[in-house]
Amino acid sequence: MIRFEQTFMDFLLQHQERHNRTYHFLILVDGLINAAKHIQQYYLTGALKGNLGFAGNTNVQGEDVMRMDQIAQEVTIHYLKASGRVIHAISEESEQIIPINPEGGRYFVYFDPLDGSSNVAHGLPVGFLFGIAKRNLTGPEDSHLRAGREFIAAGMFVIPTGTFTLALKDAGTWRFHIDETMNYVKPVQMVLPEDAKSWELSFNESNRYTFSEKIQAWIAQNERKYVFRYLGALAGDFHRILSNGGMFMYPAIVNHPNPKKNRPQGKLRLMYEAAVVAFMCKEAGGEAIDEAGIPILDVQPKDHHQRTALYVGSRPMVEDVARILKS
Ligand code: AFP
């Protein structure tokens, strides 16, 4: 007997109808799913087709652009345009704000279509992260610089594993898996486990002695309590935290032996990395803060490529770190 699961589209349609919502959001998310599936296919054949190397130029962050970054960006912009629902988009791959449909669009989209570039050459998991905010339909024209608190949804695809996680404002965080027909199916609500037995700690251990003294001391006190895991692609690392609990962190770099390499402002991007996972984490019962111990969702971006430190995961663990950071 074949077992048929509920499809993502059926799940979302029911959600929209239950809340008397329009179908515009559904059309946008359908576009994002098409983009992710398309990118996934390029990624799967990337090694064969020579698409897992560098493209020969640098991006807004001064990093070498990979061929897959370009493909993922082009594919995503295509589907955002085709949806007709997006005002502006902000992408890791573009210095400027990308106008999509300034007159007719309803949503702002913040995305990183291929996050975790150190995994690309190996064909290992990368992420497609996105956050969505809605145009102020009644008041004066509003800004695209929205804090995570104002997102209406945020999600991530872990490519090429075929998993998709979507958080809907005040309606939980849901995980889906791709089936034989390339449809995302079987909604499972993700709630961070309370039992600390399964909790994991995820950070780049090679940066450990560059963190603040407070964070180094916290690690020394706590590291033996948890299993340690690090993939180097936020979507994959956060995927594990959502399932097992614990905390992912990318603290500020303030004690680098080469002071030029310090990153007191953090490494991760606020709008399309940190706020995205913070939103998903909150809807799953967790918390996320920056280096000042402030909830990531409350941080008002001043720049669309703003960076931040990030501590995200099970609430008791993140609150413990917040206490230390604020002491
Ligand atoms: P890249 O896409 O530039 O590799 O960055 C990935 C990322 O923003 C995030 O996905 C990872 O969690 C983190 O950076 C990994 O950074 P390190 O390589 O410094 O550990």
Side-chain angles (χ1 to χ4, degrees), residues 63 114-118 204 207 230 232-234 248 250 267-269 273:
E63 300 154 348
L114 208 85
D115 185 59
S117 51
S118 65
N204 187 337
N207 290 340
Y230 192 71
L234 178 59
F248 169 91
Y250 208 109
K267 175 190 175 188
L268 302 183
R269 293 65 161 193
E273 290 187 304

Side-chain angles (χ1 to χ4, degrees), residues 92-140:
E92 204 221 347
E93 297 307 322
S94 170
E95 182 165 6
Q96 307 298 335
I97 299 164
I98 308 160
I100 306 278
N101 181 5
E103 299 309 318
R106 285 171 76 88
Y107 306 102
F108 298 108
V109 176
Y110 317 103
F111 70 98
D112 186 346
L114 208 85
D115 185 59
S117 51
S118 65
N119 284 348
V120 173
H122 310 283
L124 287 170
V126 291
F128 175 174
L129 300 144
F130 64 88
I132 300 172
K134 192 169 167 186
R135 164 173 260 161
N136 182 356
L137 295 167
T138 47

Side-chain angles (χ1 to χ4, degrees), residues 2 12 23 25 42 46 51 62-63 97 115 135 161 179 238 264:
I2 301 176
L12 192 57
Y23 297 136
F25 177 70
Y42 273 104
N51 280 333
E63 300 154 348
I97 299 164
D115 185 59
R135 164 173 260 161
T161 66
D179 74 0
F238 182 64

Side-chain angles (χ1 to χ4, degrees), residues 18-294:
R18 218 173 17 251
H19 294 89
N20 280 327
R21 303 237 172 93
T22 67
Y23 297 136
H24 298 293
F25 177 70
L26 195 131
I27 292 165
L28 168 59
V29 179
D30 186 47
L32 288 164
I33 287 180
N34 282 331
K37 289 198 280 199
H38 213 132
I39 294 166
Q40 168 138 324
Q41 289 315 306
Y42 273 104
Y43 200 66
L44 282 169
T45 58
L48 278 179
K49 303 251 173 87
N51 280 333
L52 298 187
F54 289 104
N57 51 320
T58 53
N59 68 8
V60 54
Q61 330 282 348
E63 300 154 348
D64 289 324
V65 174
M66 307 202 74
R67 178 80 191 110
M68 268 311 302
D69 286 331
Q70 287 181 331
I71 291 171
Q73 170 82 349
E74 195 180 325
V75 166
T76 309
I77 300 290
H78 165 79
Y79 283 105
L80 292 184
K81 285 193 171 152
S83 82
R85 300 309 193 271
V86 178
I87 310 159
H88 293 127
I90 284 168
S91 161
E92 204 221 347
E93 297 307 322
S94 170
E95 182 165 6
Q96 307 298 335
I97 299 164
I98 308 160
I100 306 278
N101 181 5
E103 299 309 318
R106 285 171 76 88
Y107 306 102
F108 298 108
V109 176
Y110 317 103
F111 70 98
D112 186 346
L114 208 85
D115 185 59
S117 51
S118 65
N119 284 348
V120 173
H122 310 283
L124 287 170
V126 291
F128 175 174
L129 300 144
F130 64 88
I132 300 172
K134 192 169 167 186
R135 164 173 260 161
N136 182 356
L137 295 167
T138 47
E141 186 41 89
D142 45 355
S143 164
H144 61 277
L145 289 175
R146 301 292 190 86
R149 185 83 55 205
E150 294 180 71
F151 287 6
I152 58 165
M156 64 181 190
F157 300 89
V158 183
I159 293 171
T161 66
T163 57
F164 171 38
T165 309
L166 180 72
L168 297 160
K169 193 169 182 67
D170 300 329
T173 296
W174 299 82
R175 181 167 291 162
F176 304 84
H177 293 274
I178 212 160
D179 74 0
E180 299 79 1
T181 63
M182 293 291 285
N183 275 309
Y184 288 99
V185 298
K186 202 177 178 186
V188 175
Q189 184 162 12
M190 303 304 295
V191 178
L192 284 159
E194 280 178 23
D195 188 347
K197 267 197 231 119
S198 63
W199 289 7
E200 298 179 351
L201 191 53
S202 181
F203 67 96
N204 187 337
E205 169 74 27
S206 67
N207 290 340
R208 178 175 181 155
Y209 297 102
T210 69
F211 301 155
S212 71
E213 282 73 17
K214 284 178 183 175
I215 292 300
Q216 290 189 44
W218 183 89
I219 294 171
Q221 270 172 19
N222 290 278
E223 63 187 336
R224 282 183 197 87
K225 297 183 201 158
Y226 307 109
V227 175
F228 179 85
R229 298 279 183 259
Y230 192 71
L231 175 68
L234 178 59
D237 284 319
F238 182 64
H239 181 102
R240 290 190 66 102
I241 297 294
L242 264 183
S243 307
N244 293 352
M247 186 175 71
F248 169 91
M249 62 179 175
Y250 208 109
I253 307 279
V254 290
N255 277 314
H256 200 285
N258 175 357
K260 284 197 188 124
K261 294 200 169 163
N262 277 333
R263 290 170 177 265
Q265 77 287 14
K267 175 190 175 188
L268 302 183
R269 293 65 161 193
L270 174 62
M271 297 199 75
Y272 40 85
E273 290 187 304
V276 169
V277 294
F279 187 96
M280 286 191 275
C281 193
K282 182 187 166 257
E283 286 294 337
E287 182 57 283
I289 56 167
D290 68 5
E291 196 72 14
I294 294 169

